[in-house]
Amino acid sequence: MDFKMNEYTHALVGKITTGLQGFGKDVDPKDVRRQHDCFVRLLKELNIEVIELNLEGTITENIFLDDVAVICHGIALLLKPRNEAEARNFKILKEVLKKDLRQSIVEQDESDAVICGSDVLFTGREFFVGICKTTNEAGASLLAETFPEFPCTPIKMSKGAEHLKKYITVAGDDVLCVGASQEAKELLKRMEREANFSYQTLSVPEDEAANCLYVNGTLVHRAIEEIPEAFKVFCEKIDFARRSICLSELAKLKADLSSCSLLRIKNSGYHNPRILADKSTSLTVVP
């Protein structure tokens, strides 16, 4: 299959306007807007067309776009809204994905499936889905049914663990960036045991450094003042283009690099043979 998952053409982001609420007393709205603007500018510099959306709700509902959809091979799986503001934003997002980006839309039905985009890791070859409080086995099955051309492995996460992509992300072609915490190490072991393909691993001493973006041949990671030890690792181990960015204020809102945009992968010419009439997909959760 001629397909490179790191080749992106478009990014959807929310507009961080002055009227947004929900920053919290320890968060500086001006710094949030400044860091978000830098993030958007960086995406543009990496040859990505950025579409800024006027969304409703609080600051978090305008930032966490990666949580609300999974896009691959010309199909956008839109996840179930959790509140009224998300439901209204859902309509805006659906319109842009369908009309502007020409994606086929799959909407999550009223089943018991629960899934969050930050629990979904796509390596370019297969999906791993973190099973936790925000994503269940039925959600992983829905993902597998939507994208049947890719293996999909549910990975059980520890009680109280954060999203999967807080611990492990893609940092290059067949390269996984992994944090140093026990949770990250255990997740990696489970993934390696069940993976359908082999990956190199890049271990970083700070868990917050594990969340990075590999976009159009460039690795985007946090700035040296935020991850001093991991920054050294990136400098020593990465032999292709890198860009660093400050995310400290956005991180106070639980945002990270992967959650701040919804990226559209370049079409490969492949047509997804998705047939939802067949509900026979069976997945075994890796304990």
Side-chain angles (χ1 to χ4, degrees):
M1 189 182 299
D2 184 16
F3 181 73
K4 293 184 178 180
M5 64 81 60
N6 65 295
E7 292 185 358
Y8 297 100
T9 59
H10 295 78
L12 302 182
V13 302
K15 282 187 177 180
I16 310 302
T17 60
T18 55
L20 285 175
Q21 302 296 315
F23 286 91
K25 63 179 181 179
D26 297 325
V27 181
D28 187 331
K30 291 183 179 179
D31 280 345
V32 168
R33 285 192 290 272
R34 177 180 55 79
Q35 290 182 355
H36 192 266
D37 287 345
C38 289
F39 176 72
V40 170
R41 186 162 58 250
L42 176 56
L43 291 178
K44 292 178 179 178
E45 290 171 0
L46 295 176
N47 298 317
I48 294 176
E49 183 177 338
V50 178
I51 300 174
E52 296 188 77
L53 306 176
N54 288 307
L55 302 174
E56 297 187 22
T58 64
I59 178 63
T60 55
E61 285 153 344
N62 278 260
I63 288 179
F64 295 108
L65 288 191
D66 183 58
D67 286 353
V68 301
V70 177
I71 301 177
C72 187
H73 269 179
I75 287 182
L77 171 61
L78 294 183
L79 310 179
K80 191 183 300 182
R82 293 167 294 187
N83 52 53
E84 291 184 6
E86 281 193 4
R88 290 190 289 270
N89 291 341
F90 183 98
K91 295 179 180 178
I92 297 171
L93 191 61
K94 179 180 176 181
E95 184 85 1
V96 172
L97 287 169
K98 188 174 182 178
K99 292 190 175 180
D100 295 352
L101 300 186
R102 299 184 181 278
Q103 303 294 287
S104 298
I105 305 297
V106 177
E107 297 185 37
Q108 184 176 345
D109 58 23
E110 295 303 317
S111 68
D112 294 330
V114 178
I115 185 168
C116 174
S118 288
D119 296 319
V120 177
L121 178 64
F122 181 54
T123 69
R125 298 179 183 271
E126 59 189 317
F127 284 102
F128 293 98
V129 183
I131 305 302
C132 55
K133 63 181 180 180
T134 50
T135 297
N136 61 14
E137 294 177 43
S141 293
L142 174 64
L143 186 79
E145 292 164 2
T146 306
F147 305 105
E149 66 273 35
F150 293 108
C152 181
T153 304
I155 304 291
K156 182 72 174 178
M157 301 184 68
S158 302
K159 185 178 181 180
E162 298 187 75
H163 298 297
L164 175 62
K165 285 191 284 195
K166 290 284 187 181
Y167 305 101
I168 301 177
T169 55
V170 172
D173 292 328
D174 296 329
V175 178
L176 300 179
C177 187
V178 186
S181 67
Q182 190 61 34
E183 179 69 26
K185 292 176 181 178
E186 288 299 323
L187 283 170
L188 179 63
K189 287 180 183 178
R190 296 170 201 159
M191 289 170 61
E192 288 179 330
R193 189 168 69 241
E194 298 297 326
N196 290 269
F197 301 91
S198 297
Y199 303 94
Q200 298 180 48
T201 57
L202 177 66
S203 297
V204 290
E206 297 111 330
D207 260 5
E208 54 267 35
N211 185 277
C212 49
L213 285 177
Y214 181 48
V215 179
N216 295 347
T218 297
L219 179 64
V220 180
H221 57 76
R222 293 178 66 172
I224 187 171
E225 55 265 39
E226 299 178 5
I227 52 164
E229 297 305 315
F231 195 92
K232 296 176 186 177
V233 175
F234 289 130
C235 290
E236 294 170 359
K237 301 293 185 180
I238 299 299
D239 60 0
F240 49 87
R242 293 184 298 108
R243 297 290 298 272
S244 63
I245 188 170
C246 289
L247 208 76
S248 55
E249 212 66 24
L250 283 163
K252 293 178 183 178
L253 298 167
K254 302 296 184 182
D256 44 41
L257 287 168
S258 66
S259 67
C260 287
S261 66
L262 188 57
L263 294 167
R264 174 188 181 270
I265 301 173
K266 181 179 180 180
N267 284 345
S268 63
Y270 176 84
H271 296 287
N272 185 306
R274 173 183 164 271
I275 304 175
L276 283 181
D278 178 7
K279 296 293 185 178
S280 60
T281 302
S282 178
L283 299 175
T284 300
V285 178
V286 179

PDB file of all heavy atoms in Angstrom, residues 205-206 208 223-233:
ATOM      1  N   PRO A 205      13.306  11.047  28.778  1.00  0.00           N
ATOM      2  CA  PRO A 205      13.229  11.017  30.240  1.00  0.00           C
ATOM      3  C   PRO A 205      12.028  11.723  30.843  1.00  0.00           C
ATOM      4  O   PRO A 205      11.687  11.486  32.004  1.00  0.00           O
ATOM      5  CB  PRO A 205      14.532  11.687  30.680  1.00  0.00           C
ATOM      6  CG  PRO A 205      14.971  12.500  29.510  1.00  0.00           C
ATOM      7  CD  PRO A 205      14.487  11.788  28.295  1.00  0.00           C
ATOM      8  N   GLU A 206      11.387  12.610  30.094  1.00  0.00           N
ATOM      9  CA  GLU A 206      10.193  13.281  30.609  1.00  0.00           C
ATOM     10  C   GLU A 206       8.966  12.806  29.844  1.00  0.00           C
ATOM     11  O   GLU A 206       8.952  12.828  28.607  1.00  0.00           O
ATOM     12  CB  GLU A 206      10.310  14.808  30.466  1.00  0.00           C
ATOM     13  CG  GLU A 206      11.453  15.426  31.268  1.00  0.00           C
ATOM     14  CD  GLU A 206      12.567  15.966  30.365  1.00  0.00           C
ATOM     15  OE1 GLU A 206      12.757  15.407  29.269  1.00  0.00           O
ATOM     16  OE2 GLU A 206      13.242  16.912  30.770  1.00  0.00           O
ATOM     17  N   GLU A 208       6.162  14.249  29.462  1.00  0.00           N
ATOM     18  CA  GLU A 208       5.549  15.328  28.687  1.00  0.00           C
ATOM     19  C   GLU A 208       6.243  15.534  27.341  1.00  0.00           C
ATOM     20  O   GLU A 208       5.686  16.167  26.442  1.00  0.00           O
ATOM     21  CB  GLU A 208       5.539  16.638  29.480  1.00  0.00           C
ATOM     22  CG  GLU A 208       6.867  17.092  30.006  1.00  0.00           C
ATOM     23  CD  GLU A 208       7.147  16.616  31.422  1.00  0.00           C
ATOM     24  OE1 GLU A 208       6.733  15.496  31.751  1.00  0.00           O
ATOM     25  OE2 GLU A 208       7.789  17.368  32.183  1.00  0.00           O
ATOM     26  N   ALA A 223       9.844  22.809  23.607  1.00  0.00           N
ATOM     27  CA  ALA A 223      11.065  23.615  23.658  1.00  0.00           C
ATOM     28  C   ALA A 223      12.009  23.160  24.773  1.00  0.00           C
ATOM     29  O   ALA A 223      11.605  22.498  25.737  1.00  0.00           O
ATOM     30  CB  ALA A 223      10.703  25.085  23.843  1.00  0.00           C
ATOM     31  N   ILE A 224      13.271  23.553  24.668  1.00  0.00           N
ATOM     32  CA  ILE A 224      14.306  23.111  25.590  1.00  0.00           C
ATOM     33  C   ILE A 224      14.012  23.508  27.036  1.00  0.00           C
ATOM     34  O   ILE A 224      14.315  22.755  27.973  1.00  0.00           O
ATOM     35  CB  ILE A 224      15.691  23.651  25.159  1.00  0.00           C
ATOM     36  CG1 ILE A 224      16.796  23.047  26.013  1.00  0.00           C
ATOM     37  CG2 ILE A 224      15.713  25.189  25.177  1.00  0.00           C
ATOM     38  CD1 ILE A 224      18.199  23.356  25.507  1.00  0.00           C
ATOM     39  N   GLU A 225      13.405  24.678  27.242  1.00  0.00           N
ATOM     40  CA  GLU A 225      13.124  25.113  28.611  1.00  0.00           C
ATOM     41  C   GLU A 225      12.026  24.294  29.270  1.00  0.00           C
ATOM     42  O   GLU A 225      11.891  24.307  30.505  1.00  0.00           O
ATOM     43  CB  GLU A 225      12.759  26.605  28.649  1.00  0.00           C
ATOM     44  CG  GLU A 225      11.614  27.012  27.738  1.00  0.00           C
ATOM     45  CD  GLU A 225      12.078  27.519  26.400  1.00  0.00           C
ATOM     46  OE1 GLU A 225      13.039  26.951  25.852  1.00  0.00           O
ATOM     47  OE2 GLU A 225      11.475  28.493  25.898  1.00  0.00           O
ATOM     48  N   GLU A 226      11.263  23.559  28.497  1.00  0.00           N
ATOM     49  CA  GLU A 226      10.177  22.744  29.032  1.00  0.00           C
ATOM     50  C   GLU A 226      10.565  21.279  29.197  1.00  0.00           C
ATOM     51  O   GLU A 226      10.052  20.599  30.077  1.00  0.00           O
ATOM     52  CB  GLU A 226       8.945  22.862  28.126  1.00  0.00           C
ATOM     53  CG  GLU A 226       8.414  24.274  28.029  1.00  0.00           C
ATOM     54  CD  GLU A 226       7.216  24.396  27.092  1.00  0.00           C
ATOM     55  OE1 GLU A 226       6.734  23.366  26.590  1.00  0.00           O
ATOM     56  OE2 GLU A 226       6.772  25.536  26.855  1.00  0.00           O
ATOM     57  N   ILE A 227      11.476  20.799  28.344  1.00  0.00           N
ATOM     58  CA  ILE A 227      11.914  19.399  28.407  1.00  0.00           C
ATOM     59  C   ILE A 227      13.433  19.339  28.215  1.00  0.00           C
ATOM     60  O   ILE A 227      13.918  18.758  27.240  1.00  0.00           O
ATOM     61  CB  ILE A 227      11.203  18.537  27.338  1.00  0.00           C
ATOM     62  CG1 ILE A 227      11.344  19.189  25.944  1.00  0.00           C
ATOM     63  CG2 ILE A 227       9.738  18.337  27.673  1.00  0.00           C
ATOM     64  CD1 ILE A 227      11.026  18.245  24.795  1.00  0.00           C
ATOM     65  N   PRO A 228      14.211  19.892  29.142  1.00  0.00           N
ATOM     66  CA  PRO A 228      15.666  20.022  28.938  1.00  0.00           C
ATOM     67  C   PRO A 228      16.385  18.698  28.679  1.00  0.00           C
ATOM     68  O   PRO A 228      17.267  18.632  27.812  1.00  0.00           O
ATOM     69  CB  PRO A 228      16.148  20.681  30.231  1.00  0.00           C
ATOM     70  CG  PRO A 228      15.056  20.435  31.223  1.00  0.00           C
ATOM     71  CD  PRO A 228      13.794  20.432  30.440  1.00  0.00           C
ATOM     72  N   GLU A 229      16.039  17.641  29.400  1.00  0.00           N
ATOM     73  CA  GLU A 229      16.731  16.372  29.223  1.00  0.00           C
ATOM     74  C   GLU A 229      16.305  15.686  27.930  1.00  0.00           C
ATOM     75  O   GLU A 229      17.125  15.148  27.192  1.00  0.00           O
ATOM     76  CB  GLU A 229      16.471  15.455  30.432  1.00  0.00           C
ATOM     77  CG  GLU A 229      17.013  15.999  31.739  1.00  0.00           C
ATOM     78  CD  GLU A 229      18.498  16.307  31.650  1.00  0.00           C
ATOM     79  OE1 GLU A 229      19.258  15.464  31.107  1.00  0.00           O
ATOM     80  OE2 GLU A 229      18.911  17.388  32.109  1.00  0.00           O
ATOM     81  N   ALA A 230      15.007  15.690  27.664  1.00  0.00           N
ATOM     82  CA  ALA A 230      14.516  15.074  26.423  1.00  0.00           C
ATOM     83  C   ALA A 230      15.016  15.837  25.205  1.00  0.00           C
ATOM     84  O   ALA A 230      15.259  15.234  24.142  1.00  0.00           O
ATOM     85  CB  ALA A 230      12.993  15.026  26.432  1.00  0.00           C
ATOM     86  N   PHE A 231      15.172  17.143  25.333  1.00  0.00           N
ATOM     87  CA  PHE A 231      15.665  17.951  24.209  1.00  0.00           C
ATOM     88  C   PHE A 231      17.044  17.448  23.768  1.00  0.00           C
ATOM     89  O   PHE A 231      17.337  17.370  22.572  1.00  0.00           O
ATOM     90  CB  PHE A 231      15.738  19.426  24.620  1.00  0.00           C
ATOM     91  CG  PHE A 231      15.881  20.370  23.463  1.00  0.00           C
ATOM     92  CD1 PHE A 231      14.762  20.936  22.863  1.00  0.00           C
ATOM     93  CD2 PHE A 231      17.129  20.705  22.965  1.00  0.00           C
ATOM     94  CE1 PHE A 231      14.886  21.817  21.783  1.00  0.00           C
ATOM     95  CE2 PHE A 231      17.272  21.575  21.901  1.00  0.00           C
ATOM     96  CZ  PHE A 231      16.144  22.126  21.307  1.00  0.00           C
ATOM     97  N   LYS A 232      17.873  17.078  24.738  1.00  0.00           N
ATOM     98  CA  LYS A 232      19.197  16.540  24.414  1.00  0.00           C
ATOM     99  C   LYS A 232      19.073  15.239  23.628  1.00  0.00           C
ATOM    100  O   LYS A 232      19.838  14.995  22.689  1.00  0.00           O
ATOM    101  CB  LYS A 232      19.994  16.300  25.703  1.00  0.00           C
ATOM    102  CG  LYS A 232      20.304  17.547  26.504  1.00  0.00           C
ATOM    103  CD  LYS A 232      21.012  17.180  27.802  1.00  0.00           C
ATOM    104  CE  LYS A 232      21.208  18.392  28.695  1.00  0.00           C
ATOM    105  NZ  LYS A 232      21.838  18.005  29.986  1.00  0.00           N
ATOM    106  N   VAL A 233      18.112  14.423  24.034  1.00  0.00           N
ATOM    107  CA  VAL A 233      17.897  13.144  23.340  1.00  0.00           C
ATOM    108  C   VAL A 233      17.483  13.382  21.897  1.00  0.00           C
ATOM    109  O   VAL A 233      17.990  12.732  20.974  1.00  0.00           O
ATOM    110  CB  VAL A 233      16.826  12.302  24.072  1.00  0.00           C
ATOM    111  CG1 VAL A 233      16.499  11.031  23.281  1.00  0.00           C
ATOM    112  CG2 VAL A 233      17.299  11.948  25.476  1.00  0.00           C
TER     113      VAL A 233
END
